[in-house]
Amino acid sequence: MKEMIGKASTKVKNSVERGAVKKFAEAVGDMHPIYLDEEVGKQSRFGQNIAPPTFARVFDYGVIEGLNLPNKGLIHGEQIYHYERPLLVGEDVYCYAKVSDYYEKPGALGNMGFVVLENNGEDKDGKTIFTSKSIVILSEAYRKVQQV
């Protein structure tokens, strides 16, 4: 896994669609009018509706070539978001992922592997809108099967 540090996906265009923002807000139980009511958005300091802070979780960040993590059996360790500004309803966001670190720590059942992933979102001019960091934990059993 250490050889994956620094590898990144290519940028993928995502849209902050009004309908998707509404469904997301409903799903997380945050029906704040700044997300949903167009008049409230127009009167806000942003001049339009914004998306909930964790909406970026639904974006496509592309594929990091060679990083073959399964969809099941991983432990989600942490998720942190940092915004330069909110996501604006109707805008396009260009997203990519990067492996920023890998380390191991001893656990009760053997060594645990920790993959640190960064997700990034930029505007059409390449200016950062947000970054997020997540830690994916690989159990000793998974590491043995995958020979990590």
Side-chain angles (χ1 to χ4, degrees), residues 47-61:
Q48 64 190 91
N49 295 108
I50 62 173
T54 54
F55 183 78
R57 183 69 185 110
V58 304
F59 288 152
D60 181 355
Y61 293 90

Side-chain angles (χ1 to χ4, degrees), residues 7-116:
K7 291 194 175 187
S9 65
T10 57
K11 291 180 186 178
V12 177
K13 180 180 174 182
N14 292 266
S15 296
V16 183
E17 298 172 341
R18 183 171 301 282
V21 168
K22 181 179 183 212
K23 286 181 183 179
F24 187 87
E26 290 170 346
V28 299
D30 187 356
M31 302 298 288
H32 194 288
I34 191 69
Y35 309 138
L36 307 170
D37 186 315
E38 288 187 59
E39 275 307 308
V40 170
K42 287 177 186 174
Q43 298 302 317
S44 75
R45 63 185 167 136
F46 310 110
Q48 64 190 91
N49 295 108
I50 62 173
T54 54
F55 183 78
R57 183 69 185 110
V58 304
F59 288 152
D60 181 355
Y61 293 90
V63 175
I64 299 172
E65 192 173 320
L67 184 64
N68 299 314
L69 298 176
N71 291 330
K72 297 180 183 178
L74 300 177
I75 302 168
H76 182 90
E78 181 177 301
Q79 184 83 41
I80 298 170
Y81 291 91
H82 173 78
Y83 279 87
E84 298 297 324
R85 65 162 177 83
L87 293 167
L88 305 174
V89 171
E91 79 175 321
D92 291 329
V93 181
Y94 299 83
C95 300
Y96 66 96
K98 178 181 176 183
V99 178
S100 62
D101 199 5
Y102 175 79
Y103 56 93
E104 296 177 357
K105 290 184 178 182
L109 300 174
N111 280 343
M112 306 288 281
F114 294 79
V115 181
V116 182

